Amino acid sequence: MIQTLHGSCAPGTCAVRDNMHRARKRVFVDLLKWDVPVVAGAFERDEFDTDDAIYLVSAADDSTHLGSFRFLPTDRPHLLGKLFRDLCDGPVPSGPHILEITRGCLSPDLRAAARLRLRNELISAAVDYALENDVSAFTCVADSSWLTQILSLGWDCQLLGMPKLVGGVATGALRIRIEPGTIGLLQQAGTYISPGLRGSATPPLAA
């Protein structure tokens, strides 16, 4: 099930959030070797995990983390505006109707088919959230592996500048336009999964 959680909270107060932060530590710190903060040796939490953050989290009934995204309002401090401004050839898109998608995290325990479906479920839920909350665009910073996926999903998106090396990895910034026709574009590309079908065919974690 995909949940929308508003705001961060201290470790130990919400199992779904705790497991999301544990998963982020496992993926971004242990596997990808990012130099990002770790709290209590277990939770990847940065300066943007505040009361303003919004989380889309797919979790099992026992609160096991399957996948998640974080939204950051762009009229407040956010990654692209504060840390990666040089990835944009022009001004950083920002405002009350633009959200930044960050910390896309999928469980490495899922098989490839399950990861692909879960990615599409989270993308679909993100678009639904945007349309329901008067969000006209997403921005994001993505390394080469995510960048290729995001550009191929079927929606209207554009690079904000030529990708640059960040930590030795090609990294770019994107703006993704969100409008009523976005769902149709994602459906044509085979990306969009309707709300009633989300979570209905996600295979179990790999043995």
Side-chain angles (χ1 to χ4, degrees):
M1 180 179 68
I2 295 178
Q3 305 176 46
T4 303
L5 306 176
H6 292 264
S8 187
C9 61
T13 57
C14 173
V16 171
R17 284 182 177 85
D18 282 354
N19 288 337
M20 174 190 69
H21 287 293
R22 288 190 184 96
R24 282 171 37 177
K25 191 262 185 183
R26 180 185 177 194
V27 171
F28 301 132
V29 178
D30 299 342
L31 297 179
L32 298 180
K33 308 301 181 185
W34 287 11
D35 182 16
V36 291
V38 175
V39 176
F43 307 100
E44 189 275 301
R45 296 169 60 97
D46 68 9
E47 63 184 287
F48 303 106
D49 287 303
T50 68
D51 289 343
D52 294 327
I54 303 162
Y55 305 94
L56 286 185
V57 185
S58 176
D61 291 342
D62 62 357
S63 298
T64 296
H65 177 272
L66 300 175
S68 56
F69 289 159
R70 179 180 67 184
F71 292 146
L72 297 176
T74 59
D75 55 356
R76 278 154 271 181
H78 61 287
L79 277 164
L80 182 56
K82 186 170 183 179
L83 302 179
F84 296 100
R85 185 178 297 270
D86 62 336
L87 294 177
C88 298
D89 289 341
V92 175
S94 62
H97 303 292
I98 300 176
L99 289 177
E100 181 182 54
I101 298 182
T102 69
R103 291 302 196 264
C105 181
L106 301 178
S107 170
D109 293 330
L110 291 171
R111 296 185 177 93
R115 285 172 59 83
L116 177 61
R117 180 180 174 85
L118 183 57
R119 182 206 69 181
N120 290 349
E121 290 182 352
L122 286 167
I123 291 291
S124 303
V127 170
D128 288 346
Y129 180 89
L131 292 172
E132 292 165 4
N133 290 276
D134 199 25
V135 173
S136 61
F138 293 134
T139 59
C140 67
V141 175
D143 63 21
S144 53
S145 60
W146 270 104
L147 196 63
T148 302
Q149 292 187 55
I150 294 168
L151 288 168
S152 67
L153 291 175
W155 49 17
D156 181 3
C157 61
Q158 64 182 100
L159 283 166
L160 295 171
M162 289 300 296
K164 299 180 180 180
L165 290 179
V166 176
V169 179
T171 303
L174 291 164
R175 176 176 178 145
I176 303 162
R177 187 184 304 278
I178 302 297
E179 52 194 6
T182 299
I183 289 178
L185 293 175
L186 294 177
Q187 287 174 329
Q188 291 174 28
T191 301
Y192 187 81
I193 297 175
S194 62
L197 295 177
R198 292 172 200 164
S200 64
T202 301
L205 298 175

